[in-house]
Amino acid sequence: MYSDTLQYFAGNRTAFFYGPTKIISKENTIVCQYGWYNTQSQKAQFSKGATLYSDSSVLSADSLLYNNKSGQGEGLGNIHLYDSAEHINVYGQHGKYFQKQQLSIIFGTPVAMQAQNTDTMWLLADTFKFQNDSAHKTLKAYYHTAIYQNEFKGLCDSLVYA
């Protein structure tokens, strides 16, 4: 962990970091300007430019929360997820992540876009669910779903993209 300013409170076992901070682990790297981590509960919050870098994706949001014990995370405000393996950008206002199920849910006017050669495919819905298992990745879009590219357009209640 590299931080401009770090303050640790032994009584409640919480570390606060202020200013530019970079946390490097085996799984990912987190960059933020402010955050805290409780060593006992293993809960953390990262904000002010919070960005999480992993093997093939980058996730940023106004705030990222994570519970290491439960494997659950949450993104709040201006979420942007970029998957470099699939060349997909996803935007939304609220997201949840469930590590055990390899499931991500994004809502709050989510939009997904995938650049394909000379065109871009757009997907809009009320809610996106991303399932990532060992066999394949699946995106499910629910309610008021719209998909379009220059060559086609579609409206439906729900859609599955695998």
Side-chain angles (χ1 to χ4, degrees), residues 83 97-105 128-140 142 160-162:
D83 183 332
Y97 173 68
F98 304 90
Q99 183 177 21
K100 291 177 186 171
Q101 297 88 354
Q102 290 295 297
L103 173 67
S104 297
I105 303 170
F128 291 157
K129 288 187 178 181
F130 294 95
Q131 188 78 46
N132 186 11
D133 60 33
S134 59
H136 60 281
K137 295 179 181 181
T138 304
L139 165 64
K140 296 178 181 179
Y142 293 98
V160 176
Y161 181 80

Side-chain angles (χ1 to χ4, degrees), residues 4-119:
D4 180 71
T5 304
L6 178 66
Q7 188 174 29
Y8 182 73
F9 293 92
N12 63 8
R13 297 184 179 173
T14 303
F16 289 86
F17 24 95
Y18 308 94
T21 302
K22 187 175 192 177
I23 303 164
I24 301 169
S25 71
K26 292 178 186 176
E27 298 84 25
N28 54 48
T29 298
I30 300 168
V31 176
C32 66
Q33 296 294 316
Y34 171 80
W36 55 264
Y37 177 70
N38 183 290
T39 59
Q40 185 172 4
S41 68
Q42 296 184 15
K43 292 180 181 179
Q45 178 182 356
F46 311 100
S47 57
K48 296 185 181 179
T51 305
L52 184 142
Y53 300 89
S54 63
D55 289 340
S56 65
S57 63
V58 177
L59 171 65
S60 63
D62 291 344
S63 289
L64 295 172
L65 297 96
Y66 190 69
N67 183 329
N68 196 40
K69 285 184 179 179
S70 69
Q72 295 181 5
E74 191 167 2
L76 303 169
N78 298 308
I79 295 171
H80 177 211
L81 172 65
Y82 174 66
D83 183 332
S84 62
E86 301 293 327
H87 303 289
I88 295 176
N89 283 287
V90 179
Y91 302 90
Q93 291 302 312
H94 196 166
K96 294 188 181 243
Y97 173 68
F98 304 90
Q99 183 177 21
K100 291 177 186 171
Q101 297 88 354
Q102 290 295 297
L103 173 67
S104 297
I105 303 170
I106 298 178
F107 46 97
T109 60
V111 175
M113 57 183 276
Q114 181 179 36
Q116 300 173 337
N117 297 327
T118 60
D119 197 5

